[in-house]
Amino acid sequence: MVLSNTERKIIEDSIRDIKDFPKPGIVFKDITTLLNNKEAYGVLMNHLYQRYKEYNLDYIAGIDARGFIFGAALAQMLGLGFVPIRKKGKLPYTTISEKYSLEYGIDEVEVHIDAFGNIPNAKVLMIDDLIATGGTANAAATLINQTGATCVEACFIIGLGFLDGQTKLKETTEVYSLIEVN
Ligand code: AMP
């Protein structure tokens, strides 16, 4: 299921560019203007539903924090459970974690050890709003696979094509980005 040009334009036009946020030189892709636009949010979620209803998934996993918004809504539409992949220190039960490099320093994501526990070899779709360097998504996909589940695809609303995040992530899982920004 591919996005039509009309659908792509409605979604693309609803995303706002904020220059120099959070620091000079970054163009921040603001998806709050997609979320408060009922037409654009509806077109997006309907497309995701149409695409993923054929995948025979067991869970949707969303990346902290904007991946929760799309992931939780999609999980409900598909009749599936939702699993949050969180930044370090937020999950209360036993976790497994994966570190990744930032421009300056190291960050870490975590998931509960039993998050996909009630379905053996669970098929998981991972979702986030945007992939840039791919550090976060690579760590999250690795974590899903370490639990014994399988990350069958990573889905992003926006892919920054001028960074090689998507190419790197394709070594671990399938990658689908609705809108490519070059
Ligand atoms: P990365 O690990 O470099 O792929 O960064 C991905 C994470 O950072 C995602 O969770 C995004 O929400 C956020 N992010 C990175 N760059 C941007 C950007 N230009 N606009 C909005 N969010 C961004």
Side-chain angles (χ1 to χ4, degrees):
M1 173 66 61
V2 288
L3 197 64
S4 74
N5 287 339
T6 316
E7 289 172 319
R8 178 172 291 105
K9 185 162 171 32
I10 291 168
I11 297 168
E12 213 161 25
D13 287 353
S14 73
I15 298 166
R16 176 164 63 182
D17 283 357
I18 309 287
K19 290 203 175 70
D20 298 322
F21 182 88
K23 54 185 182 185
I26 305 281
V27 178
F28 192 87
K29 296 285 176 185
D30 178 15
I31 51 98
T32 64
T33 45
L34 185 168
L35 295 170
N36 75 3
N37 176 331
K38 66 183 176 193
E39 186 194 11
Y41 193 22
V43 165
L44 170 72
M45 293 312 303
N46 180 56
H47 170 70
L48 294 177
Y49 172 74
Q50 294 301 335
R51 177 178 176 85
Y52 289 112
K53 70 179 184 186
E54 314 292 351
Y55 272 57
N56 222 356
L57 296 164
D58 294 308
Y59 292 95
I60 308 291
I63 301 180
D64 200 344
R66 287 181 291 266
F68 296 171
I69 302 166
F70 304 107
L74 182 61
Q76 272 294 295
M77 291 171 87
L78 291 168
L80 300 173
F82 173 77
V83 171
I85 296 180
R86 299 221 61 182
K87 297 280 166 62
K88 190 180 169 54
K90 304 286 185 186
L91 289 171
Y93 185 60
T94 310
T95 59
I96 55 170
S97 61
E98 184 73 16
K99 293 191 172 70
Y100 60 98
S101 305
L102 300 170
E103 200 177 348
Y104 301 104
I106 284 189
D107 216 337
E108 204 165 341
V109 282
E110 293 186 326
V111 70
H112 276 149
I113 193 149
D114 60 352
F116 308 103
N118 60 359
I119 300 176
N121 310 313
K123 289 171 74 178
V124 180
L125 172 75
M126 184 175 90
I127 189 161
D128 202 0
D129 65 330
L130 181 143
I131 179 164
T133 66
T136 320
N138 250 300
T142 303
L143 262 189
I144 292 168
N145 292 341
Q146 277 173 2
T147 64
T150 303
C151 180
V152 294
E153 187 156 289
C155 173
F156 306 92
I157 317 307
I158 305 152
L160 300 187
F162 54 88
L163 298 168
D164 65 354
Q166 295 178 86
T167 314
K168 269 192 286 173
L169 185 59
K170 281 178 188 160
E171 292 167 18
T172 307
T173 186
E174 299 290 320
V175 179
Y176 176 60
S177 300
L178 278 78
I179 292 163
E180 280 291 335
V181 176
N182 291 301

